[in-house]
């Protein structure tokens, strides 16, 4: 009898995926009954958050501003540090293979550290406060920015480079006149996108003491002051939404 | 006077692909030479050996009597500054303004600290603008390059080459991406500049009607070998069939009218 290998492979794949899911659920002792039982509590907590504590409006808002500042400075630092690496890790623009390989490995290594771990690390080394948040975001974002930017560099039109080389321009001129103008708008767009992600990270980083609105969240959660939690969450949601839309609009305009 | 000499020039690409086989030829100052051949015949390679975008594997190339195959990096840059090049795909920076694209032709003449700051001397800006005037698109100087039509973009490419104030212009399939009327307009521009400035011009074409109409001298390449070299007046369909190694089809003709002084907005 002829074995249908394709069918066999499909069955094996499906069995493996199902196996992993069942293993995960068993390990956490999750079942539908427990999930259903928690739903009323969720509703209760949300009810407790309303009305949000207006006394905390200005404190929450200014803490949110700090989160924005952490995200702005962190993203800026990351964009600056990622800039040279974006080119060093790009194949096909004349950088030696060994350099490209090394730069790519560095970017990969940076990306393996979660923000919160970096946050804890920098809170430990710089003490609690926004500087630790800036450092965590600044270092963490280099990985993604460097990777996305180097992909942008790899897809540029080589035509202008050839044209300038043919006219006797030197490497610096080829970079500034043929490469840079092609990548700049897209670099800015990735930085803005990363800023949107970093703003979310900056709101959470306070939970490990790294400044911003997360600090208020942490304290009010610890003492179960739900109306304050409600106020903070409300501000996070509104501000993040506004900034997301603005940033997306700008990204669309510049690319 | 000879400006350009090829002596037994061969190019072998990696993988043992012989792109040029012992080509020898001499080009006089001010000549308008059209190089024809099928794609893959070595036209592009031949053109690119002149400014050493492609390094010859063997042989000697002389510009103004000087062997350029041995030049060091600095000398090579200086030599390239005097050779303008025009490309099939225009090779402009789409996002940059037209004038910035044309100023790129001045880069090798301006000190690097100035080019890094974008501070071009007035003289060089004037050269760039007048180059644009020469190809009748002076009014487009501050438009982004990708807002222009194909024909206008190629004229920006010509202006960039002109801004180098070159001795030689190399044009690699300059009209292959353009429609017939625009093709004629661009060929006319190249021919006019060749006559007015006495700039030696080498043009790769695969359209035989354009080659006959605009070429003074025609060079035919087949499989990397020089198989024809003579005045355009001596060339007929039989010669092209010889160069192409097959009979001529409609695809080998650009066609279209010749009257198109202002073909598009």
């Amino acid at each position: 009898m002829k074995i249908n290998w394709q069918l066999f492979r499909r069955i094996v794949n499906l069995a493996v995926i199902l196996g992993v899911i069942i293993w995960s659920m068993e390990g956490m002792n999750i079942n539908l009954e427990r999930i259903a039982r928690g739903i009323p509590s969720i509703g209760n907590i949300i009810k407790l958050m309303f009305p949000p504590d207006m006394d905390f409006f200005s404190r929450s808002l200014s803490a949110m501003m700090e989160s924005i500042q952490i995200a702005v400075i962190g993203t800026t630092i990351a964009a600056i540090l990622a800039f040279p690496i974006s080119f060093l890790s790009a194949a096909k623009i004349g950088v030696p293979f060994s350099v490209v390989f090394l730069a790519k490995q560095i970017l990969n290594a940076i990306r393996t550290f979660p923000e919160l771990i970096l946050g804890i690390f920098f809170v430990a080394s710089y003490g609690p406060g926004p500087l630790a948040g800036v450092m965590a975001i600044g270092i963490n974002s280099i990985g993604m920015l460097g990777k996305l930017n180097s992909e942008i560099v790899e897809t540029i039109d080589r035509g202008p480079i050839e044209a300038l080389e043919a006219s006797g321009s030197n490497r610096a001129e080829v970079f500034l006149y043929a490469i840079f103008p092609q990548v700049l708008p897209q670099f800015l767009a990735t930085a803005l996108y990363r800023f949107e992600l970093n703003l979310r990270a900056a709101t959470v980083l306070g939970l490990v003491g790294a400044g911003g609105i997360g600090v208020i969240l942490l304290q009010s959660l610890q003492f179960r002051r739900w109306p304050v939690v409600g106020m903070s969450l409300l501000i996070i949601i509104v501000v993040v939404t506004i900034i997301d839309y603005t940033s997306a609009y700008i990204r669309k305009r510049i690319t | 006077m000879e400006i350009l000499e090829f002596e037994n020039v061969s190019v072998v690409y990696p993988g043992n692909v012989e792109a040029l086989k012992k080509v020898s030829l001499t080009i006089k100052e001010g000549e308008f030479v059209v190089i024809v051949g099928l794609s893959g015949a070595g036209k592009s390679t031949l053109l690119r050996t002149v400014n050493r975008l492609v390094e010859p594997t063997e042989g000697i190339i002389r510009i103004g009597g000087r062997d350029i195959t041995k030049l060091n990096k600095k000398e090579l840059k200086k030599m390239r500054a005097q050779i303008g090049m025009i490309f099939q795909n225009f090779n402009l920076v789409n996002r940059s303004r037209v004038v910035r694209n044309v100023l790129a032709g001045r880069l090798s003449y301006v000190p690097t600290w100035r080019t890094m700051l974008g501070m071009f001397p007035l003289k060089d800006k004037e050269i760039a603008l007048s180059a644009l005037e020469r190809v009748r698109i002076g009014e487009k100087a501050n438009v982004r390059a990708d807002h222009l039509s194909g024909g206008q973009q190629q004229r920006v490419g010509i202006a960039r080459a002109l801004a180098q104030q070159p001795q030689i212009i190399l044009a690699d399939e300059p009209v292959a991406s353009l429609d017939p009327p625009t093709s004629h307009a661009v060929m006319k521009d190249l021919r006019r500049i060749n006559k007015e400035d006495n700039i030696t011009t080498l043009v790769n074409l695969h359209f035989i009607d354009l080659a006959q109409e605009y070429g003074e001298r025609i060079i035919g390449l087949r499989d990397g070998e020089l198989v024809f070299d003579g005045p355009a007046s001596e060339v007929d369909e039989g010669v092209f069939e010889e160069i192409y190694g097959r009979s001529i089809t409609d695809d080998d003709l650009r066609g279209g009218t010749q009257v198109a002084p202002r073909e598009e907005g």
Side-chain angles (χ1 to χ4, degrees), chain A residues 71-242:
Chain A
V72 168
I73 302 302
T75 309
T76 307
I77 290 174
I80 292 168
L81 292 178
F83 185 79
I85 309 177
S86 307
F87 296 98
L88 293 178
S89 62
K92 295 179 281 193
I93 56 161
V95 180
F97 177 74
S98 53
V99 175
V100 172
F101 180 79
L102 191 70
K104 275 195 199 297
Q105 292 316 309
I106 292 172
L107 291 178
N108 286 336
I110 292 172
R111 277 207 307 281
T112 58
F113 288 98
E115 259 140 14
L116 278 179
I117 305 295
L118 283 173
I120 292 167
F121 176 77
F122 285 118
V123 166
S125 34
Y126 289 94
L131 179 59
V134 166
M135 291 295 293
I137 284 174
I139 299 299
N140 182 262
S141 308
I142 294 173
M144 187 189 106
L145 284 182
K147 185 179 160 61
L148 292 182
N149 285 352
S150 77
E151 280 164 9
I152 291 166
V153 173
E154 282 171 4
T155 57
I156 58 169
D157 177 10
R158 286 200 45 85
I161 300 175
E162 186 189 30
L164 291 209
E165 280 172 354
S167 73
S169 302
N170 61 37
R171 288 176 78 96
E173 288 160 347
V174 169
F175 177 79
L176 193 63
Y177 284 80
I179 298 176
F180 189 65
Q182 289 194 61
V183 299
L184 182 65
Q186 295 194 67
F187 275 25
L188 288 177
T190 31
L192 273 174
Y193 178 57
R194 185 66 220 191
F195 168 70
E196 293 166 35
L197 301 180
N198 283 345
L199 184 59
R200 288 168 174 73
T203 60
V204 176
L205 273 166
L207 293 174
V208 298
I213 198 167
V215 176
I216 290 182
L217 264 181
L218 176 69
Q219 288 163 357
S220 47
L221 279 168
Q222 270 172 346
F223 298 105
R224 301 278 192 275
R225 295 173 67 184
W226 297 114
V228 180
V229 174
M231 187 73 246
S232 303
L233 286 182
L234 198 66
I235 285 180
I236 291 176
I237 292 167
V238 171
V239 172
V240 166
T241 306
I242 292 171

Side-chain angles (χ1 to χ4, degrees), chain A residues 157-160 162-174 176-178 181-182 185-186 254-255, chain B residues 48 51 53 77 80-81 83 85 87 91-93 95-96 100 104 107-108 110 112 115-116 118 120 160 164:
Chain A
D157 177 10
R158 286 200 45 85
E162 186 189 30
L164 291 209
E165 280 172 354
S167 73
S169 302
N170 61 37
R171 288 176 78 96
E173 288 160 347
V174 169
L176 193 63
Y177 284 80
Q182 289 194 61
Q186 295 194 67
I254 60 180
T255 50
Chain B
R48 281 170 164 72
N51 55 11
L53 284 182
K77 285 196 178 108
R80 283 180 173 174
I83 302 176
M85 191 157 188
F87 304 85
N91 289 4
L92 305 177
V93 179
R95 298 181 159 282
S96 295
R100 194 167 166 90
L107 288 173
S108 46
V110 175
T112 304
T115 62
M116 291 296 104
F120 286 86
R160 177 174 61 191
Q164 289 175 244

